[in-house]
Amino acid sequence: MDRKLEKKTWTPRRIAAVLGGVVLLAGIIYQIGFADHRSTMNVEKDRLSIGTVRTGEFTDYILVSGQIEPARTVFLDAIEGGVVNRVIRESGALVKRGDTILILNNSNLQLDVMQRETMLYEQINNLRQTRLLLDQNDLNQQGQLAEIDYQISLLEPQYQRFKELHEKKLVSDREFEEVKEQYEYNVKRRKLTYASYRNDSIARSIQLNQLRMSENRMQASLTGVGNILDNLIITAPIAGQLATPQQLEIGQAINPGQRYGQIDILDEFKVRVPVDELYLPRISTGLRGKFSLSGSEYELEINKIYPTITNGRFEVDMIFTGERPEGIRRGQSVRIRLELGQSEQSLLLPTGGFFKDTGGNWVFVLNAAGNAEKRNIRLGRKNPEFYEVLEGLVEGEKVIISGYENFGDNEVLELK
């Protein structure tokens, strides 16, 4: 007997087709809504430098190199030129004030000094001769006054006697008039002579004072001319260490005004530091710095700024604020950590080559899967060790800090 077979709705083929369609649809939905379409690049992890973001004390500082210099230096410039006759002390010698360093010879200068001395002596003799003439004139006038006084002393008694006798009619009018005229003439003569003597005395006093001043100036000039030759004997103006730019040799010519050396005072030292002109607005006196030498750390402080910029740099002087190193030498170089501001707590990212490729605007941050993803960040201040992180990173995250020049435009790095 035949039996009617019912057709099944869900056949294995149909179920397989439906399942295939569902899988295909799920794949499409995943690709559209959930799949990672970012460009990816495989990178060997061992070739990367990775830094960890951490919270710490950020110190705004720069690293600069400075040279040790004496705190005080006296330069030696030739006042008079000449040829080196003897070298008494050479570069590096320790000298005391007044020690002879160098002896020069200058025949033309010696001849000139002799001529000038002769001329001054002649002028001084002329002044003395003029003063002698003034003194003789004064004596002559005093002699004239003395002669007149003598005549008056003889005529005055005679005049008084003749006057009395004339009143008694015992002498004639003519005799009385002769005596009277002689007496009055000498009295008037004395007045005129004394007035002339007084005026001459005032003028003579002024002239003698001028002569005295002129003679004093000439004597000072004579002393100064004599001291010119002393400038050929060069002595140390202060105690210290002698330093010359080159070895001085006998017969070597030195011109007037030429700097032939210097004396360094070794009691104190400073550090001359060139700084990039970029930091000029931020540099001020009082800023501190540190450097290490022979296992010890020493502190410095800026006490002078030279604002003139040469080859993109300006210079500052730094002095020791505490103990200074023993045995340091002029010209010795030290590496200084110069602080530009106060320290404060900040989120820190180690410095690296990534900055020149990204400008600090983004970095590759490691995720939980061990890969690195591109992320936008914002950095603040920088010192030689760290960047100050303002936005985009949290403490503990790991960041690729080596250069990004080989990563192209990829947004994800698969680390192997």
Side-chain angles (χ1 to χ4, degrees), residues 281-310:
R282 303 182 61 187
I283 297 296
S284 61
T285 55
L287 291 181
R288 292 180 174 268
K290 298 178 181 179
F291 72 91
S292 296
L293 186 66
S294 301
S296 299
E297 191 171 75
Y298 302 93
E299 293 189 356
L300 301 166
E301 181 179 285
I302 295 177
N303 75 323
K304 190 172 185 180
I305 300 173
Y306 302 90
T308 303
I309 297 174
T310 305

Side-chain angles (χ1 to χ4, degrees), residues 4-5 16 22-23 26 39 42 46 142 147 170 194 203 207 216 221 275 282 321 323 341 344 366 376 385:
K4 185 178 180 180
L5 297 176
V22 170
V23 171
S39 56
N42 294 326
D46 294 341
Q142 290 183 24
E147 177 64 25
L170 297 177
Y194 180 76
Q207 192 170 1
N216 290 338
S221 298
V275 183
R282 303 182 61 187
T321 57
E323 183 182 0
E344 58 183 37
L366 273 64
N376 291 329
E385 295 177 293

Side-chain angles (χ1 to χ4, degrees), residues 56-60 342-346 348 381 388:
E57 188 177 75
F58 180 84
T59 303
D60 193 4
Q342 297 294 329
S343 300
E344 58 183 37
Q345 289 293 114
S346 300
L348 306 177
R381 294 172 296 175
E388 182 183 30

Side-chain angles (χ1 to χ4, degrees), residues 179-190:
V179 174
K180 180 182 178 182
E181 287 177 359
Q182 289 180 7
Y183 173 71
E184 291 179 348
Y185 166 74
N186 281 280
V187 169
K188 183 181 294 186
R189 180 185 170 197
R190 189 187 189 286

Side-chain angles (χ1 to χ4, degrees), residues 198-263:
R198 184 181 61 186
N199 293 334
D200 287 348
S201 295
I202 295 172
R204 182 169 52 253
S205 177
I206 295 173
Q207 192 170 1
L208 285 173
N209 187 51
Q210 292 175 344
L211 290 173
R212 190 177 304 109
M213 293 174 62
S214 296
E215 186 175 354
N216 290 338
R217 285 195 297 269
M218 289 184 183
Q219 288 289 357
S221 298
L222 188 61
T223 302
V225 170
N227 291 337
I228 289 176
L229 294 180
D230 293 339
N231 294 328
L232 297 178
I233 302 175
I234 299 172
T235 59
I238 198 166
Q241 186 177 38
L242 176 65
T244 58
Q246 60 180 0
Q247 182 65 35
L248 298 173
E249 301 292 345
I250 295 176
Q252 179 180 343
I254 294 181
N255 299 320
Q258 178 180 335
R259 179 164 297 170
Y260 57 86
Q262 63 188 49
I263 295 178

Side-chain angles (χ1 to χ4, degrees), residues 31-299:
Q31 289 295 326
I32 295 175
F34 301 99
D36 190 352
H37 298 285
R38 295 176 298 178
S39 56
T40 303
M41 179 181 181
N42 294 326
V43 180
E44 293 184 13
K45 188 175 181 178
D46 294 341
R47 296 186 177 182
L48 303 177
S49 295
I50 298 175
T52 302
V53 179
R54 66 178 182 87
T55 300
E57 188 177 75
F58 180 84
T59 303
D60 193 4
Y61 74 93
I62 56 176
L63 291 176
V64 293
S65 294
Q67 280 195 334
I68 302 293
E69 293 184 359
R72 185 182 171 198
T73 296
V74 177
F75 293 105
L76 302 176
D77 296 339
I79 299 175
E80 300 292 342
V83 176
V84 176
N85 187 21
R86 290 179 61 194
V87 178
I88 307 299
R89 287 174 173 82
E90 297 183 349
S91 182
L94 295 177
V95 297
K96 297 179 180 179
R97 180 183 176 90
D99 285 350
T100 302
I101 299 173
L102 200 64
I103 298 178
L104 303 179
N105 185 33
N106 189 330
S107 301
N108 292 332
L109 180 64
Q110 292 171 336
L111 181 60
D112 180 63
V113 166
M114 293 175 61
Q115 292 175 344
R116 291 166 68 178
E117 285 180 337
T118 301
M119 183 178 63
L120 286 170
Y121 278 125
E122 290 178 354
Q123 293 178 352
I124 290 173
N125 288 334
N126 291 336
L127 289 176
R128 291 175 178 174
Q129 187 67 29
T130 302
R131 187 170 59 187
L132 180 61
L133 292 175
L134 290 175
D135 291 339
Q136 289 178 348
N137 184 54
D138 180 66
L139 291 174
N140 290 336
Q141 289 183 321
Q142 290 183 24
Q144 292 177 6
L145 285 173
E147 177 64 25
I148 294 172
D149 289 337
Y150 174 72
Q151 293 296 329
I152 290 175
S153 66
L154 295 178
L155 291 171
E156 185 176 9
Q158 185 178 4
Y159 169 68
Q160 294 296 336
R161 289 195 303 270
F162 271 70
K163 184 178 180 181
E164 292 176 359
L165 294 173
H166 180 264
E167 290 175 352
K168 295 177 181 181
K169 308 296 184 180
L170 297 177
V171 292
S172 64
D173 292 340
R174 181 179 177 183
E175 290 176 331
F176 175 68
E177 290 295 335
E178 287 179 357
V179 174
K180 180 182 178 182
E181 287 177 359
Q182 289 180 7
Y183 173 71
E184 291 179 348
Y185 166 74
N186 281 280
V187 169
K188 183 181 294 186
R189 180 185 170 197
R190 189 187 189 286
K191 289 180 180 180
L192 294 174
T193 303
Y194 180 76
S196 175
Y197 173 71
R198 184 181 61 186
N199 293 334
D200 287 348
S201 295
I202 295 172
R204 182 169 52 253
S205 177
I206 295 173
Q207 192 170 1
L208 285 173
N209 187 51
Q210 292 175 344
L211 290 173
R212 190 177 304 109
M213 293 174 62
S214 296
E215 186 175 354
N216 290 338
R217 285 195 297 269
M218 289 184 183
Q219 288 289 357
S221 298
L222 188 61
T223 302
V225 170
N227 291 337
I228 289 176
L229 294 180
D230 293 339
N231 294 328
L232 297 178
I233 302 175
I234 299 172
T235 59
I238 198 166
Q241 186 177 38
L242 176 65
T244 58
Q246 60 180 0
Q247 182 65 35
L248 298 173
E249 301 292 345
I250 295 176
Q252 179 180 343
I254 294 181
N255 299 320
Q258 178 180 335
R259 179 164 297 170
Y260 57 86
Q262 63 188 49
I263 295 178
D264 298 329
I265 301 174
L266 303 180
D267 294 339
E268 295 184 10
F269 288 89
K270 64 181 179 181
V271 182
R272 178 67 58 85
V273 183
V275 183
D276 193 287
E277 61 181 323
L278 175 67
Y279 298 100
L280 181 57
R282 303 182 61 187
I283 297 296
S284 61
T285 55
L287 291 181
R288 292 180 174 268
K290 298 178 181 179
F291 72 91
S292 296
L293 186 66
S294 301
S296 299
E297 191 171 75
Y298 302 93
E299 293 189 356

